[in-house]
Amino acid sequence: MTHHGLFISFEGIDGAGKSTHIDGLANAFRSGGRAVTLTREPGGTLLAEKLRCLVLEDAMDPLTESLLIFAARRDHVVRVIAPALLRGEVVLCDRFTDATFAYQGAGRGFDLQVLSTLERWVQADEGLLGDPAGNQPMKPEVETVIEPDLTIWFDLPPEDAALRLAGSRVPDRFESQPVEFFHRVAQGYVQRQQGHAERFARIDASQVRDAVWQCVLQAVVEKGWLGAEVSDKT
Ligand code: TMP
C-alpha cells in the first residue's frame, strides 16, 4: 500500500503516562497543518470498542484474548488506519501490535510464533482496502504488513507504574495484575525494541512530565516530521 501518511504508535506498561503526550502531539501536528487521526487499541471502531470491553472485563484464556485483540485490530486497520494513511493523515495510535507481543506474548506466555502469524494476516496490506463490509474476496498473497513508522515507547519501572496507578480508578483485568506480570511485559517491550530498533524510540518515562514531553517531540522532530520550532511553542 503506497501512502503519504504517518503512522505513530505509543507503547508502555499501564501507568507509564502516555495519554497526555499523545494529545499534545496531536495538537502539535495540527498546528503544523496536518490532519490527525487519534485512535487507540484495543478499540478505534464500533466493533473494536465492543471487543475492548470484553477483553478488559471478561475472564478468558490467552488464545481467546489474543484472537479478540487481533479481530479488533483487523477491523481498526481496515476501517480507520489504512484509509487515514491513504488520505495522507497522521495516525496517532495509543498501543498497537507491540502491546500484543508484550502483554499476551511475554506477559501471558502465549506462543510468539502464533502471534507473528496473526500479525501477518491481520496487518496484511493486500486486499485491505477493497471492501470493509467483506463482500469482495481478499487477495490471498500477503507481501507486506502495515506497521508503525515510529513507536514511542514510554519505559518506566513496573514498581513506579504501580505507584502511579494506585487508587486512580477501578483496575481492569490487566491493571489488576501483580507487578511480576508487568516485569514480564516490560521485558517483552525490550525484546520487541531489539527486533525493531529502527522504528522504536525509547523514552525514560520516570522523568518529570515536561522532560518526557520534550523527548516525545525530539523523537518526531528527528524524523523531520515536525519543525524544531515546535518545541519552543509548547
Ligand atoms: P489502555 O488502558 O492503555 O488503553 O490499554 C488497554 C489495556 O489493554 C492495557 O492494559 C494493555 C492491554 N492490551 C493488551 O493486552 N494487548 C494489546 O494488544 C493491546 C493493544 C492492549
Side-chain angles (χ1 to χ4, degrees):
M1 186 180 89
T2 308
H3 66 81
H4 301 291
L6 280 179
F7 183 12
I8 304 177
S9 64
F10 300 83
E11 296 286 356
I13 59 174
D14 291 272
K18 48 192 168 50
S19 302
T20 53
H21 301 299
I22 301 175
D23 291 338
L25 202 54
N27 290 337
F29 273 113
R30 286 181 182 129
S31 305
R34 293 292 300 255
V36 175
T37 288
L38 196 55
T39 188
R40 69 172 181 181
E41 289 214 345
T45 67
L46 279 175
L47 173 62
E49 290 290 333
K50 288 182 193 167
L51 296 174
R52 176 189 175 93
C53 290
L54 296 176
V55 167
L56 295 191
E57 303 304 335
D58 291 18
M60 61 188 74
D61 75 282
L63 174 58
T64 309
E65 187 175 286
S66 302
L67 290 173
L68 288 180
I69 285 172
F70 271 114
R73 180 161 301 132
R74 176 72 187 172
D75 196 54
H76 190 211
V77 168
V78 170
R79 291 182 188 274
V80 173
I81 295 178
L85 293 174
L86 278 176
R87 291 193 301 270
E89 294 183 13
V90 178
V91 176
L92 302 181
C93 191
D94 188 346
R95 301 189 183 281
F96 197 61
T97 305
D98 299 310
T100 317
F101 280 84
Y103 278 79
Q104 281 63 51
R108 301 272 195 232
F110 188 70
D111 190 321
L112 298 181
Q113 291 295 337
V114 176
L115 294 183
S116 295
T117 302
L118 290 169
E119 178 185 31
R120 273 192 291 114
W121 286 356
V122 165
Q123 291 157 236
D125 71 11
E126 292 292 327
L128 260 181
L129 297 160
D131 179 16
N135 295 326
Q136 297 293 325
M138 284 174 59
K139 293 183 193 164
E141 308 86 20
V142 173
E143 292 294 335
T144 53
V145 296
I146 290 182
E147 62 174 3
D149 300 298
L150 172 67
T151 296
I152 299 181
W153 168 35
F154 294 77
D155 191 19
L156 184 70
E159 285 78 8
D160 295 5
L163 279 179
R164 286 186 187 179
L165 278 181
S168 62
R169 57 179 169 177
V170 180
D172 61 36
R173 277 179 67 235
F174 295 100
E175 290 164 344
S176 55
Q177 291 291 313
V179 74
E180 297 74 35
F181 175 81
F182 289 104
H183 275 288
R184 295 198 296 278
V185 174
Q187 198 49 40
Y189 277 122
V190 171
Q191 280 160 9
R192 208 53 191 160
Q193 190 251 347
Q194 286 168 349
H196 300 80
E198 70 297 339
R199 70 170 162 86
F200 259 78
R202 178 193 168 272
I203 285 174
D204 175 0
S206 63
Q207 303 173 91
V208 296
R209 185 189 288 196
D210 192 52
V212 172
W213 170 238
Q214 292 305 324
C215 292
V216 170
L217 273 181
Q218 192 189 341
V220 178
V221 169
E222 269 173 13
K223 292 275 184 187
W225 298 336
L226 279 175
E229 73 285 355
V230 141
S231 49
D232 302 330
K233 284 196 217 149
T234 51

